[in-house]
Amino acid sequence: MARTIAVSGSASGIGEALAGMLRDAGDTVIGIDLRDADVRADLSVPEGRASAVAQTLERCGGRLDAVVACAGVSDFTVMPVKVNFFGAVELLDGLRPALAAAGAPRAAVVGSISGTHPVDDDVVRACLAGDEPAALAAAEKAERSGAGGLLYPSSKAALAQWMRRVCVTPGWAGAGIPLNAIAPGVVRTPMTAPLFADEAMVQVMNEAVPMPLNGHAGPEVIAEALRWLISPANTHMTGQVVYVDGGAEATLRGA
């Protein structure tokens, strides 16, 4: 049976790969992105997130079978905190009632192996408190001090912890909505293309994220895992961070 699924970050990378797979299977996909999408909105700001929710609800008629938060950025500024955490959380929160109206709703987010790396505790704490001004102030402080490299891991660690906290609440599990995360290793997407163009950065990536099983992944690998998580077949998995990382997490954290 065809389903209606909202996918953020649908214009490139993992989101584009997932949206294509779902459409090929006959599903209706509501793509959300800055451009080249059904719903064009800026998830880095509250007004943009509210617009994304409103436009998506209008397109789906108040009923969604699944939502996947793929949109993300990776740099040493405050943007990962804005988009990767607050953009994903506010989108999911805003669309949750439409999920609850469906017969077999599902939701997923894209985390990262970097969520296991060192983080800025002040940023993570403020994110989990839902205090965006405090989170951005802490992120700006880290950026100014030269610790901007902690902000992407912080955004992904906070997102995974938020997912774990809310997945078993009445609004999610109580409404029959599994909520999970895929945590990729290094994926070849437009976001990582500049890194792959620099041999020194490739070496840094390989040391930080060792992937002994088949090396770097294509976006379709992550999309396939997400597709199962949001399928009707997933009736009992919730609150899980599934590492699709070529063995990076097992290598770094061991037994």
Side-chain angles (χ1 to χ4, degrees), residues 51-235:
S51 175
V53 169
Q55 291 183 68
T56 303
L57 290 175
E58 182 177 1
R59 282 180 171 270
C60 73
R63 182 187 178 281
L64 276 170
D65 295 293
V67 177
V68 184
C70 287
V73 296
S74 175
D75 59 30
F76 291 1
T77 74
V78 301
M79 286 299 287
V81 176
K82 290 182 174 183
V83 177
N84 302 355
F85 183 80
F86 288 101
V89 167
E90 291 188 21
L91 184 71
L92 285 164
D93 277 344
L95 295 177
R96 190 196 57 75
L99 287 169
R106 307 285 184 264
V109 300
V110 175
S112 172
I113 181 63
S114 74
T116 66
H117 293 171
V119 301
D120 185 304
D121 291 330
D122 290 337
V123 171
V124 173
R125 189 178 303 112
C127 285
L128 293 175
D131 189 340
E132 187 168 6
L136 296 182
E140 288 166 0
K141 180 179 178 181
E143 186 180 348
R144 289 194 304 270
S145 69
L150 296 176
L151 298 179
Y152 181 77
S154 297
S155 70
K156 293 299 189 177
L159 182 61
Q161 291 181 53
W162 171 84
M163 181 272 297
R164 297 270 296 172
R165 290 183 178 188
V166 305
C167 69
V168 291
T169 61
W172 290 95
I177 311 170
L179 173 61
N180 294 283
I182 292 294
V186 179
V187 184
R188 290 184 176 274
T189 67
M191 187 171 75
T192 59
L195 301 178
F196 280 106
D198 184 335
E199 288 187 12
M201 281 308 303
V202 172
Q203 184 174 347
V204 169
M205 284 194 298
N206 289 341
E207 290 174 357
V209 186
M211 300 176 66
L213 178 64
N214 296 326
H216 306 129
E220 68 283 352
V221 173
I222 313 305
E224 283 284 12
L226 286 165
R227 184 163 67 160
W228 185 85
L229 280 183
I230 61 167
S231 73
N234 176 24
T235 59

Side-chain angles (χ1 to χ4, degrees), residues 1 6-7 36 43-44 48-49 55 62 109 119 175 187 203 214 239 252:
M1 180 182 296
V7 178
D36 301 325
L43 297 179
S44 72
R49 298 165 201 154
Q55 291 183 68
V109 300
V119 301
V187 184
Q203 184 174 347
N214 296 326
L252 294 169

